[in-house]
Amino acid sequence: MIGSNRTKPRSPTRREANVVQFRRFYRIYSCLVWGASIYDPDGYEQFPTIDIDDEKLGNAVREALAASRASLDDELWDRAYDYRRTGEFKKTDRTMLELAGVKSLRTLYRGAASVSVWHDQNSITILAWKNKGVESWGPVRNYERLELPDTITDAELGAAVREHLAISKSA
């Protein structure tokens, strides 16, 4: 079960960020959204080390949410899709492989965890994903997403993200 707010209508003000936890670092990035969401190559992306404290982690997630864009602009969506089509994403892959000290994406993603974080209408929602392989994520069984007020502190947000990354990792 994904959660009780599953049928909640999506708003054009919705912002989304994703956090992926690897062995040595996190990848935190903003998304381009409108109903669906996709990595925004012109948005926020950071790679803090795994020992980052909850407050700094929460702050980085808030920065990614603030950088997220909701748009119907075809040029923005074309740019986001072209990022994959043109192979530009391979620069990010190389950066992550170097940070992890590994040679293959398969090794990089082994044991990785991921959450999506949405900010919409005065609430922040965290959803954990199950690792299904290299950059492949699926729903976690018998799991309910967490909805929090957007007034929580950065430290509380960071702790909640970390807790749901642990759920993702154990799924």
Side-chain angles (χ1 to χ4, degrees):
M1 184 153 130
I2 293 192
S4 59
N5 60 353
R6 183 175 177 187
T7 58
K8 182 178 176 181
R10 292 191 175 159
S11 160
T13 61
R14 180 175 71 105
R15 309 269 183 179
E16 183 175 343
N18 287 320
V19 180
V20 182
Q21 179 184 2
F22 298 101
R23 283 180 230 139
R24 293 186 181 177
F25 65 95
Y26 295 97
R27 178 183 182 207
I28 303 170
Y29 61 92
S30 62
C31 295
L32 181 62
V33 296
W34 193 269
S37 66
I38 189 171
Y39 168 77
D40 185 354
D42 299 320
Y44 177 96
E45 183 170 43
Q46 293 294 317
F47 302 96
T49 59
I50 203 72
D51 60 356
I52 189 173
D53 66 33
D54 287 345
E55 184 174 6
K56 288 179 183 171
L57 178 60
N59 182 265
V61 171
R62 278 194 206 275
E63 287 180 10
L65 287 169
S68 175
R69 300 184 285 175
S71 178
L72 283 173
D73 183 345
D74 287 340
E75 287 182 31
L76 289 176
W77 284 92
D78 287 347
R79 166 79 177 109
Y81 284 114
D82 284 347
Y83 172 78
R84 272 279 185 219
R85 274 191 293 246
T86 62
E88 196 177 337
F89 69 93
K90 290 180 182 179
K91 292 178 200 171
T92 301
D93 287 348
R94 283 192 298 272
T95 298
M96 292 190 304
L97 290 170
E98 186 177 306
L99 287 170
V102 299
K103 295 184 181 193
S104 73
L105 290 174
R106 185 175 180 164
T107 303
L108 174 68
Y109 279 90
R110 188 177 302 131
S114 178
V115 297
S116 295
V117 183
W118 295 285
H119 182 218
D120 188 17
Q121 300 175 357
N122 302 319
S123 69
I124 293 176
T125 304
I126 302 172
L127 177 64
W129 296 99
K130 178 181 180 176
N131 188 340
K132 297 181 81 172
V134 176
E135 291 188 88
S136 180
W137 307 95
V140 176
R141 289 180 175 251
N142 302 317
Y143 164 76
E144 222 173 286
R145 65 181 81 180
L146 175 65
E147 191 167 331
L148 302 163
D150 65 357
T151 56
I152 63 171
T153 67
D154 287 348
E156 292 169 324
L157 177 57
V161 165
R162 209 180 298 271
E163 178 182 322
H164 286 260
L165 284 166
I167 291 168
S168 169
K169 190 171 246 179
S170 67

